[in-house]
């Protein structure tokens, strides 16, 4: 059934959303470093299955930090995610793959979901747990999906960064080669997170935006704008920017 939790097509970074808890097994191995030949190969494959080709459904990776500090905004995102589908419906169609991390080395992904009620049901079953950030795994998963199925954009919502900036930038650069923009939506004002999020957005041709803690209206506008891009491309985002501040903030940064 479309949208049911499914194992990613390759790699061990991200587990299916319904996988058993494996905290006692230790750290999950990271993907190996890519060679220039690897990069050339996945760029060629991605072009053949480009989500920007005529008639393609929009595909958006929706990634969330589900560590303990994020509980209020996780609940808010659950309520707002339907707005992404509504915005996309006015432009065409949208499939969303939810990726989230929490706890000790727990990073999970759903299959592609085309129904807002189904996504809300899945998100409603998830509780936030204390742990460190795993943004690198999110970027690796987005890259795999970009090659395997085609991805128009990645949205990440988080408030912290506790990883190697250089390693994150290397992964972001690969997404940039695939022309998959990453929209980094930062809750709060952590300076370390801002520096990393801005650079990830720059390297992918995406955008960084901050929203105030608990500010539903700000996050709603940003999610609508990202959905517009995923469903209708740059032209759709430009059109939305005429009437929505969130879209204007994004288009002002995108290359």
């Amino acid at each position: 059934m479309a949208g049911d939790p499914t194992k990613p097509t390759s790699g061990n970074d991200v587990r299916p959303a319904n996988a058993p808890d494996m905290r006692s097994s230790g750290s999950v191995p990271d993907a190996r470093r890519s060679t220039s030949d690897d990069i050339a190969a996945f760029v060629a494959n991605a072009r053949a299955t480009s989500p920007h080709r005529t008639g393609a459904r929009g595909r958006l990776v929706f990634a969330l930090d589900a560590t303990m500090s994020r509980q209020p905004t996780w609940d808010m995102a659950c309520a707002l995610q339907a707005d992404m589908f509504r915005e996309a419906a006015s432009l065409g169609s949208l499939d969303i793959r939810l990726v989230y991390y929490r706890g000790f080395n727990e990073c999970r992904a759903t299959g592609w979901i085309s129904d807002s009620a189904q996504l809300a049901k899945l998100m409603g079953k998830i509780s936030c747990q204390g742990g460190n950030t795993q943004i690198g795994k999110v970027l690796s998963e987005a890259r795999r999906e970009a090659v395997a199925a085609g991805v128009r954009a990645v949205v990440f919502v988080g408030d912290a960064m506790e990883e190697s900036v250089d390693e994150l930038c290397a992964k972001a650069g690969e997404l940039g080669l695939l022309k998959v923009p990453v929209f980094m939506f930062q809750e709060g004002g952590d300076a370390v997170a801002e520096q990393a999020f801005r650079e990830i957005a720059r390297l992918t041709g995406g955008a960084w935006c901050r929203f105030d803690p608990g500010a539903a209206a700000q996050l709603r506008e940003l999610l609508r704008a990202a959905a517009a891009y995923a469903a209708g491309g740059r032209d759709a985002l430009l059109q939305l920017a005429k009437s929505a501040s969130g879209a204007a903030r994004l288009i002002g940064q995108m290359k």
Side-chain angles (χ1 to χ4, degrees):
M1 178 178 176
D4 283 350
T6 183
K7 187 174 182 178
T9 53
S10 64
N12 297 313
D13 280 347
V14 182
R15 289 182 284 132
N18 63 342
D21 196 345
M22 298 174 61
R23 294 179 199 173
S24 61
S25 64
S27 61
V28 177
D30 287 329
R32 65 181 177 84
R33 292 184 181 279
S34 300
T35 66
S36 58
D37 288 342
D38 292 332
I39 294 173
F42 76 65
V43 169
N45 288 335
R47 286 173 177 167
T49 59
S50 172
H52 300 285
R53 67 190 185 279
T54 303
R57 289 180 63 87
R59 285 192 159 183
L60 172 72
V61 172
F62 184 32
L64 294 169
D65 177 334
T67 56
M68 192 61 70
S69 65
R70 304 283 301 119
Q71 184 67 59
T73 306
W74 181 276
D75 294 341
M76 188 168 67
C78 289
L80 298 180
Q81 52 79 23
D83 290 334
M84 291 192 291
F85 283 101
R86 280 193 287 270
E87 186 63 44
S90 67
L91 301 166
S93 56
L94 182 67
D95 294 333
I96 290 179
R97 183 177 178 87
L98 174 66
V99 180
Y100 65 93
Y101 59 79
R102 62 181 183 175
F104 179 68
N105 281 337
E106 181 183 359
C107 188
R108 301 178 185 243
T110 68
W112 289 104
I113 299 169
S114 58
D115 177 69
S116 62
Q118 185 180 6
L119 180 59
K121 183 178 180 180
L122 285 171
M123 292 180 68
K125 296 178 179 179
I126 299 166
S127 61
C128 294
Q129 297 177 2
N132 293 329
T133 66
Q134 300 176 60
I135 301 169
K137 292 180 182 180
V138 169
L139 298 178
S140 292
E141 174 66 7
R143 186 191 69 172
R144 281 193 293 269
E145 283 301 315
V147 174
V151 174
R152 278 190 178 163
V154 177
V155 166
F156 174 79
V157 183
D159 64 350
M161 193 290 296
E162 298 158 325
E163 301 160 66
S164 164
V165 175
D166 288 337
E167 291 182 8
L168 293 183
C169 288
K171 295 175 185 291
E174 293 178 350
L175 285 171
L177 290 175
L178 291 167
K179 299 190 182 304
V180 178
V182 180
F183 300 114
M184 302 294 292
F185 299 155
Q186 179 184 350
E187 180 183 25
D190 184 272
V192 174
E194 178 179 340
Q195 182 182 36
F197 291 3
R198 281 182 178 273
E199 191 64 6
I200 291 169
R202 184 188 70 81
L203 289 168
T204 61
W208 165 89
C209 290
R210 178 189 288 126
F211 65 95
D212 298 325
Q218 291 177 332
L219 183 58
R220 177 185 289 109
E221 286 297 304
L222 294 173
L223 294 179
R224 284 183 59 218
Y229 180 87
R234 190 179 184 89
D235 289 344
L237 187 57
L238 283 168
Q239 185 63 32
L240 183 61
K242 295 178 181 178
S243 59
S245 60
R249 292 171 67 186
L250 264 58
I251 201 67
Q253 295 183 51
M254 295 181 71
K255 297 177 181 178

